[in-house]
């Protein structure tokens, strides 16, 4: 499966600031996704990153708070804007190749703490 | 409303014995089910999947069983090894892109 690199692996940020997380894949993939795992919770899909167009957001997530870019088939960024302590979570990038029922593969995540 | 549930937050098993992790779902539109393993400070690693047209899929020590009428799937690990100690998530897909995850079960395999 593809090798997925996320940067940074962790960060501690001040409230009100923004942080951009990068996801780089070593091969072209069809789909890229961003998930959040809040403390003690399961994984929740934030959005699907679409190449060359606006991301598709799930209920409860908006572009102003989580702007996403996907300029090509191997790279995407997620920005967490105007952070508050409630945004302290692990943010994960995942990818899927091909169509139909195929597994998603995940990066190691970015552990974000907001003071 | 949790569409995918893992009712056991933790499970402890002796090395060499069978580990059985369970998962229940409510959405009958789910047609593809997956199991992931997660170690601390790492992302989830894909283990095994099953399509709704099957009732069993096997890969080495891992077997997933699907009971559609009961909306239940299970992951069997035989024999269990200490390196299997991790959090296991089941996930389901309904022909779209969205994976819905269960809450996870922490498996501890004792030597």
């Amino acid at each position: 499966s593809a090798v997925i690199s996320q940067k940074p692996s962790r960060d501690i940020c001040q409230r009100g600031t923004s942080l951009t997380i990068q996801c780089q894949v070593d091969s072209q993939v069809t789909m890229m996704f961003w998930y959040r795992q809040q403390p003690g919770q399961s994984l929740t899909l934030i959005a699907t990153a679409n190449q060359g167009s606006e991301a598709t957001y799930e209920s409860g997530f908006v572009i102003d708070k989580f702007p996403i870019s996907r300029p090509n088939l191997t790279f995407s960024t997620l920005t967490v804007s105007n952070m508050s302590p409630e945004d302290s979570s692990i943010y994960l990038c995942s990818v899927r190749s091909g169509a139909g029922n195929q597994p998603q593969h995940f990066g190691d995540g970015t552990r974000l703490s907001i003071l | 409303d949790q569409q995918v549930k893992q009712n056991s937050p933790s499970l402890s098993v002796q090395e060499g014995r069978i580990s059985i992790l369970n998962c229940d779902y409510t959405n009958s539109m789910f047609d593809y089910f997956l199991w992931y393993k997660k170690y601390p400070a790492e992302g989830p690693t894909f283990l095994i999947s099953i399509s709704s047209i099957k009732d069993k899929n096997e890969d080495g020590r891992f077997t997933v069983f699907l009971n559609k009428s009961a909306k239940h799937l299970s992951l069997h690990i035989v024999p269990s090894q200490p390196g299997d100690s991790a959090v296991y998530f089941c996930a389901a897909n309904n022909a779209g892109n969205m994976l819905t995850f269960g809450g996870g079960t922490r498996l501890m395999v004792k030597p």
Side-chain angles (χ1 to χ4, degrees):
Chain A
S1 59
V3 176
I4 305 163
S5 302
Q6 264 188 253
K7 291 181 181 180
S9 59
R10 59 175 61 233
D11 208 339
I12 301 173
C13 300
Q14 297 294 323
R15 67 178 67 202
T17 63
S18 299
L19 179 74
T20 296
I21 302 167
Q22 298 180 0
C23 179
Q24 178 75 55
V25 193
D26 69 343
S27 59
Q28 293 185 347
V29 293
T30 308
M31 309 294 295
M32 296 183 77
F33 307 92
W34 287 98
Y35 285 81
R36 179 176 74 180
Q37 185 181 19
Q38 294 178 297
Q41 304 292 317
S42 189
L43 286 78
T44 301
L45 179 65
I46 297 172
T48 301
N50 300 311
Q51 191 222 344
S53 64
E54 191 173 291
T56 304
Y57 290 85
E58 297 302 316
S59 175
F61 298 97
V62 296
I63 187 171
D64 289 346
K65 177 66 176 177
F66 298 102
I68 288 170
S69 78
R70 189 179 174 192
N72 55 51
L73 293 175
T74 64
F75 185 77
S76 177
T77 66
L78 168 74
T79 299
V80 186
S81 302
N82 188 25
M83 290 184 284
S84 67
E86 293 71 35
D87 294 320
S88 297
S89 295
I90 301 173
Y91 293 86
L92 298 123
C93 167
S94 78
V95 304
R96 191 184 77 202
S97 295
N101 287 335
Q102 298 288 333
Q104 292 182 25
H105 299 279
F106 287 82
D108 282 341
T110 297
R111 186 178 296 271
L112 186 56
S113 298
I114 315 304
L115 301 179
Chain B
D1 174 34
Q2 276 188 287
Q3 296 190 61
V4 179
K5 287 186 181 179
Q6 294 175 253
N7 291 318
S8 298
S10 65
L11 174 67
S12 182
V13 172
Q14 205 68 34
E15 180 179 6
R17 306 296 289 266
I18 184 171
S19 295
I20 300 176
L21 296 100
N22 294 304
C23 180
D24 296 296
Y25 63 95
T26 57
N27 188 342
S28 57
M29 298 302 291
F30 288 142
D31 65 351
Y32 182 56
F33 303 87
L34 308 90
W35 284 94
Y36 287 86
K37 177 172 72 174
K38 188 179 185 301
Y39 294 120
E42 294 184 10
T45 300
F46 169 70
L47 268 179
I48 191 169
S49 63
I50 188 167
S51 167
S52 60
I53 62 173
K54 295 186 175 182
D55 55 18
K56 177 182 175 181
N57 188 26
E58 191 171 353
D59 184 2
R61 296 186 299 115
F62 302 92
T63 303
V64 56
F65 295 92
L66 176 63
N67 183 333
K68 283 185 292 183
S69 61
K71 293 191 177 66
H72 177 83
L73 66 155
S74 61
L75 174 68
H76 292 209
I77 306 173
V78 181
S80 301
Q81 300 173 353
D84 296 329
S85 297
V87 177
Y88 289 77
F89 291 97
C90 68
N93 189 308
N94 64 347
N97 293 322
M98 182 175 178
L99 279 183
T100 302
F101 282 83
T105 297
R106 182 177 302 276
L107 174 65
M108 292 163 283
V109 181
K110 297 181 179 179

